[in-house]
């Protein structure tokens, strides 16, 4: 009973420690000033974050399926990299590693290959074409950041435009029409009259002359500041100049 309990506790400890603690990568300073990071054959599922002064990196024969986008961006002084012997899964997430490998062919010791999916099994990651990634929407982190920035800027400009448009529409221009301008408006109104009505006595029969001239004279004598004029002025201003008039 006691021995089986001890065994259970030992098993539990063993499994939890196996999950929690990874053997650390071996780091050693090079005489030339760089840093060697040796993570080979440690059953790593993902690449640990690397010191920025790493010059040699050995990660062969682990269980890596991908490399997090941007992982190598900080590590700019790499001279030797070994990534072979990992079961890389070549979906959209492998695009970062593929692009990085293409740019850094000279320092990669042995071509890492895809293990899955089956369509590209045993194919070198660098041989994956641009077409292969054409369905991947988010190309890379920098592209996403750039597009986001562009989108936000465009939105700001649009909001500003809408705001100024609303401001412009809301503002009301008040037009005061007073008696001093009545004569001018009467003239302009007169010119709008059809020509044949201006000289009725020359064109129409004698019988109707009196009536027409009378009614037309009546027209001209009327104070022209009133209801007939304002809608026209307001209409023109509103349609042609987009100004609203508050008649007083
Ligand atoms: C990395 O470490 C392993 C043992 O942990 C060793 O066998 C291998 O030679 C080392 N590689 C390098 C390049 O130092």
């Amino acid at each position: 009973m006691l021995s089986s309990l001890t065994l259970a506790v030992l098993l539990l400890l063993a499994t939890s420690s196996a999950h929690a603690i990874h053997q650390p990568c071996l780091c050693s300073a090079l005489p030339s000033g760089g840093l060697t990071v040796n993570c080979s054959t440690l059953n790593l599922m993902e690449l640990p974050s690397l010191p920025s002064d790493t010059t040699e990196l050995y990660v062969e024969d682990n269980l890596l399926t991908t490399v997090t986008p941007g992982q190598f961006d900080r590590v700019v002084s790499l001279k030797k990299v070994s990534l072979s012997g990992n079961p890389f899964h070549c979906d959209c997430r492998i695009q970062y590693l593929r692009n990085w490998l293409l740019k850094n062919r000279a320092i990669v010791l042995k071509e890492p290959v895809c293990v899955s999916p089956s369509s590209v099994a045993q194919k070198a990651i660098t041989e994956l074409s641009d077409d292969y990634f054409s369905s991947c929407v988010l190309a890379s982190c920098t592209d996403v950041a750039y597009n986001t920035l562009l989108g936000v800027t465009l939105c700001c400009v649009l909001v500003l435009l809408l705001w100024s448009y609303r401001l412009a529409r809301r503002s009301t221009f008040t037009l005061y029409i007073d008696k001093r301008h009545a004569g001018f408006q009467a003239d302009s109104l007169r010119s709008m009259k059809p020509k044949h009505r201006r000289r009725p006595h020359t064109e129409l029969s004698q019988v109707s002359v009196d009536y027409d001239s009378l009614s037309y004279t009546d027209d001209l004598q009327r104070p022209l500041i009133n209801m007939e004029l304002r809608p026209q002025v307001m209409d023109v201003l509103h349609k042609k100049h987009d100004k609203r008039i508050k008649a007083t």
Side-chain angles (χ1 to χ4, degrees):
M1 179 67 191
L2 192 69
S3 62
S4 65
L5 195 69
T6 317
L7 192 67
V9 169
L10 277 177
L11 268 176
L12 199 70
L13 277 175
T15 49
S16 65
S17 67
H19 276 286
I21 303 161
H22 275 299
Q23 251 187 294
C25 302
L26 295 172
C27 296
S28 52
L30 292 169
S32 54
L35 196 67
T36 296
V37 178
N38 185 350
C39 303
S40 56
T41 49
L42 293 176
N43 293 330
L44 297 180
M45 310 267 290
E46 54 186 58
L47 198 62
S49 67
L50 303 163
S52 56
D53 55 345
T54 305
T55 47
E56 294 181 19
L57 174 66
Y58 303 96
V59 207
E60 68 268 21
D61 304 322
N62 280 285
L63 301 171
L64 303 185
T65 53
T66 193
V67 168
T68 315
Q71 182 132 34
F72 290 130
D73 290 357
R74 257 178 351 104
V75 196
V76 290
S77 42
L78 280 171
K79 298 279 184 296
K80 275 185 196 172
V81 176
S82 170
L83 288 162
S84 58
N86 285 286
F88 286 113
H89 181 68
C90 295
D91 60 2
C92 285
R93 283 171 299 166
I94 210 75
Q95 195 177 9
Y96 168 76
L97 180 61
R98 176 257 197 181
N99 292 346
W100 186 86
L101 288 169
L102 284 175
K103 274 186 247 162
N104 296 277
R105 272 179 193 277
I107 61 169
V108 180
L109 295 181
K110 195 180 162 197
E111 281 274 1
V113 295
C114 304
V115 166
S116 57
S118 53
S119 59
V120 289
Q122 299 312 310
K123 198 170 184 175
I125 294 175
T126 51
E127 280 173 28
L128 298 172
S129 65
D130 284 332
D131 279 351
Y132 183 75
F133 295 105
S134 61
S135 61
C136 304
V137 179
L138 305 177
S140 72
C141 270
T142 49
D143 281 3
V144 174
Y146 175 76
N147 287 340
T148 311
L149 194 70
L150 197 70
V152 167
T153 313
L154 280 180
C155 279
C156 286
V157 169
L158 200 69
V159 166
L160 267 175
L161 276 177
L162 281 176
W163 181 66
S164 47
Y165 176 71
R166 274 188 56 152
L167 259 187
R169 285 207 51 124
R170 269 194 192 171
S171 54
T172 306
F173 292 84
T174 309
L175 184 68
Y176 294 98
I177 302 174
D178 59 30
K179 289 201 175 79
R180 280 179 298 144
H181 298 112
F184 167 73
Q185 281 148 7
D187 282 335
S188 58
L189 189 68
R190 218 175 288 150
S191 69
M192 289 164 81
K193 295 272 177 191
K195 284 253 153 66
H196 72 271
R197 284 196 66 197
R198 297 195 73 175
R199 283 180 228 94
H201 48 280
T202 60
E203 284 164 29
L204 297 177
S205 69
Q206 203 61 40
V207 186
S208 62
V209 162
D210 281 13
Y211 171 77
D212 271 354
S213 57
L214 192 72
S215 71
Y216 190 52
T217 312
D218 214 18
D219 245 351
L220 289 176
Q221 298 299 315
R222 211 154 16 114
L224 283 154
I225 188 67
N226 291 328
M227 311 315 289
E228 216 173 307
L229 174 63
R230 276 190 187 160
Q232 286 174 358
V233 173
M234 286 196 280
D235 202 43
V236 167
L237 281 170
H238 183 62
K239 280 189 185 143
K240 289 198 176 166
H241 306 286
D242 198 24
K243 305 272 185 279
R244 280 186 207 165
I245 293 122
K246 203 163 72 189
T248 51

